[in-house]
Amino acid sequence: MPEKIYNQFDIKTISELAEIVNAKNLGEITIVDGEKSITIKGKKCPPPPAPIHTMAMPAPVVAKQADSKSETTAVSGNEVKAPIVGTFYSAPSPTDKPFVSVGDTVKKGDTLFIIESMKVMNEVQSEFDGMVKKILVNSGEAVEFDQTVMIID
């Protein structure tokens, strides 16, 4: 019969939980079984990877952002900005047509595009009524927070 320790959990169970924590590189795991509970703490998780914009290749990204900003000054109208950092998608899937194209008329609340951030698809709706004058980002490109994505007038 296995030796019982810590709140009636046996050594085999504790060992298996410890292996899971180590194998999955978890900070901790807690198991509750009725009135019994156990928490196994592992090594601290490694820090998340550095954001892309701080890596060694900023020159093309900075140049592209500078170009986009200069384009926004050339076209007047209401700027639609990225509400979060992520990947811009003009359509719900690669085989679907874009939500909007240059020349389309949109109403406040219409979906304009999607920004994927941390594997979550975030639909961005128009805050303006008007016509899409310019789309400054290609589908699949990274966008920064508050980056102008399109112009509606």
Side-chain angles (χ1 to χ4, degrees), residues 41-83:
K41 294 187 178 190
K43 298 175 189 171
K44 290 205 176 223
C45 293
I52 292 173
H53 66 275
T54 62
M55 292 185 147
M57 301 182 345
V61 174
V62 172
K64 182 155 188 62
Q65 289 174 346
D67 292 341
S68 295
K69 288 179 181 174
S70 65
E71 289 178 34
T72 61
T73 58
V75 178
S76 64
N78 297 308
E79 295 181 355
V80 178
K81 297 187 177 211

Side-chain angles (χ1 to χ4, degrees), residues 75-131:
V75 178
S76 64
N78 297 308
E79 295 181 355
V80 178
K81 297 187 177 211
I84 55 176
V85 173
T87 304
F88 170 86
Y89 293 108
S90 60
S93 77
T95 58
D96 290 338
K97 67 177 197 146
F99 290 107
V100 296
S101 299
V102 173
D104 287 354
T105 301
V106 296
K107 295 189 183 287
K108 187 176 181 176
D110 287 352
T111 299
L112 300 174
F113 54 88
I114 292 173
I115 295 184
E116 177 187 7
S117 181
M118 299 181 70
K119 308 240 187 246
V120 175
M121 300 297 184
N122 301 281
E123 289 186 357
V124 177
Q125 283 83 30
S126 178
E127 297 178 14
F128 317 103
D129 291 336
M131 184 178 72

